[in-house]
Amino acid sequence: MTEIFDNADTTDTTVGTTNATDVAGVGSVVARTRAHLRAACAGLGDGDIGVVMTMGALHEGHATLIRQARARARHVIVTIFLNPLQFGPREDLARYPRTNEADLEICRREGVDVVFMPTPSVVYPDGDPGVRVSAGPLGNVLEGQARPGHFDGVLTVVGKMLHLTGADQAYFGQKDAQQLLLIRRMARDLDFPVEVVSVATVREADGLALSSRNMYLAESDRETALCLSRALRAGADAAVEGPSAVRRAARAVLVREPLALIDYLVLVDPSTLEDVPEWYRGEALLAVAGRVGTTRLIDNVPVNVGPGGGALEVFSEDAGHGHDLTSPAS
């Protein structure tokens, strides 16, 4: 893996020097400043660019995103940046796992062209940015209610990374469904020239959704955490009977696991995050969040509610649009 680097790692005035070391003969480039990223992107040549944005601690879920990008885009950029803006004062920024060497090995294995690994002083050269992207009302519910300001931090860094990489497509996992919705809204509302691509949630063999935070779980906690995915499966299996049946089936699983402290279990419209009424038929988001031991976990499944209903891998492009949740006649 070829690395373009600057000894100070904070300046952005020169392309810097090039380390000729090339791990396993793969010509991936690690860029650490804006100028180095520009130089690396300029060297890619023609063709569209797909970007996968991460905070590091890469796992098979991230690898799946990279493979999806690799299958569609001519060039693939992975960003590895632990964004301080999306962590609250009582959250786990300091203990968030940092596995840079393993992350780079995954990028090399998956054929990533450029890895952008900046420090906070590169992304935010003037410190905390005075101007940020606001997530608006959709950022204040569900995860936003539990983590005030979180989605403003997410959208701000995603917007910056889209500008810096010049990506044509950006790949995000369905597991972070509210984040995915907000990024799509930002791209549409602010005219970002990028296609936001949703990729189905990747799970362990036992059903637990892959997450960097899973490594915090003790063995006993992990068994408890499985109630989240089991609840979602039960709810999806009841989707043919309507919204009340979905909520009832999922809740029945959760109440049998007292060691999981549930923040919310909702069945909502995937474009507005409003609770769907009993008459609703169509695609909906069944989402759950809770704390297991000291670790907060989220999970969700897209479902089709009504006749022939059940679990979906990802939402359709027009999921939820056009529904008036106040009127069964709409």
Side-chain angles (χ1 to χ4, degrees):
M1 188 167 285
T2 302
E3 181 162 11
I4 301 178
F5 66 95
D6 182 300
N7 289 334
D9 202 29
T10 57
T11 61
D12 195 25
T13 57
T14 66
V15 173
T17 57
T18 300
N19 182 345
T21 303
D22 192 351
V23 176
V26 177
S28 301
V29 170
V30 180
R32 298 187 184 272
T33 73
R34 295 166 181 243
H36 304 155
L37 177 63
R38 284 195 297 270
C41 290
L44 292 177
D46 295 334
D48 57 339
I49 293 174
V51 66
V52 175
M53 300 183 197
T54 83
M55 294 203 300
L58 271 56
H59 49 63
E60 185 60 25
H62 297 109
T64 300
L65 292 174
I66 295 170
R67 289 182 206 124
Q68 291 280 337
R70 184 81 276 167
R72 288 193 54 190
R74 178 73 178 275
H75 309 292
V76 176
I77 298 174
V78 169
T79 68
I80 298 176
F81 176 62
L82 191 53
N83 178 35
L85 293 192
Q86 63 195 74
F87 286 81
R90 292 183 298 277
E91 292 185 328
D92 54 358
L93 175 61
R95 66 188 284 252
Y96 196 88
R98 292 159 171 84
T99 57
N100 287 351
E101 290 305 315
D103 295 347
L104 290 175
E105 172 58 23
I106 289 175
C107 290
R108 182 205 63 78
R109 184 190 75 201
E110 300 298 335
V112 172
D113 297 289
V114 178
V115 182
F116 184 39
M117 295 182 68
T119 61
S121 61
V122 170
V123 178
Y124 307 116
D126 298 318
D128 282 354
V131 176
R132 306 187 186 194
V133 178
S134 170
L138 285 176
N140 295 327
V141 299
L142 302 182
E143 284 304 287
Q145 186 172 19
R147 306 176 67 187
H150 168 70
F151 287 115
D152 291 357
V154 170
L155 295 184
T156 298
V157 78
V158 168
K160 289 174 76 72
M161 292 298 182
L162 289 175
H163 286 311
L164 291 170
T165 62
D168 301 284
Q169 303 128 29
Y171 294 78
F172 296 93
Q174 175 61 46
K175 188 181 82 70
D176 296 299
Q178 188 174 4
Q179 171 181 282
L180 176 62
L181 166 63
L182 285 164
I183 291 170
R184 278 189 165 148
R185 284 293 299 267
M186 178 182 74
R188 184 171 70 249
D189 291 352
L190 301 184
D191 295 308
F192 277 79
V194 65
E195 177 188 2
V196 178
V197 181
S198 173
V199 178
T201 301
V202 180
R203 299 183 180 276
E204 301 277 9
D206 57 11
L208 186 67
L210 285 179
S211 169
S212 300
R213 287 187 168 86
N214 289 352
M215 64 180 64
Y216 299 152
L217 295 170
E219 186 173 346
S220 58
D221 290 338
R222 183 184 173 86
E223 184 62 32
T224 300
L226 293 177
C227 74
L228 302 183
S229 57
R230 286 199 294 262
L232 296 177
R233 286 199 302 273
D237 288 344
V240 66
E241 302 175 44
S244 290
V246 173
R247 296 182 177 107
R248 187 167 54 248
R251 194 175 297 116
V253 174
L254 296 176
V255 298
R256 293 197 295 268
E257 185 46 83
L259 295 180
L261 305 179
I262 303 302
D263 285 348
Y264 60 77
L265 170 72
V266 296
L267 182 68
V268 295
D269 182 288
S271 64
T272 67
L273 301 182
E274 296 178 22
D275 288 328
V276 299
E278 183 56 26
W279 52 260
Y280 183 90
R281 298 296 180 266
E283 295 180 49
L285 174 69
L286 179 61
V288 64
R291 190 168 295 277
V292 177
T294 61
T295 305
R296 189 171 184 279
L297 300 172
I298 62 173
D299 201 354
N300 71 82
V301 63
V303 297
N304 189 34
V305 180
L312 304 169
E313 283 198 351
V314 295
F315 290 112
S316 63
E317 287 297 318
D318 60 349
H321 292 293
H323 284 287
D324 178 359
L325 297 186
T326 66
S327 171
S330 61

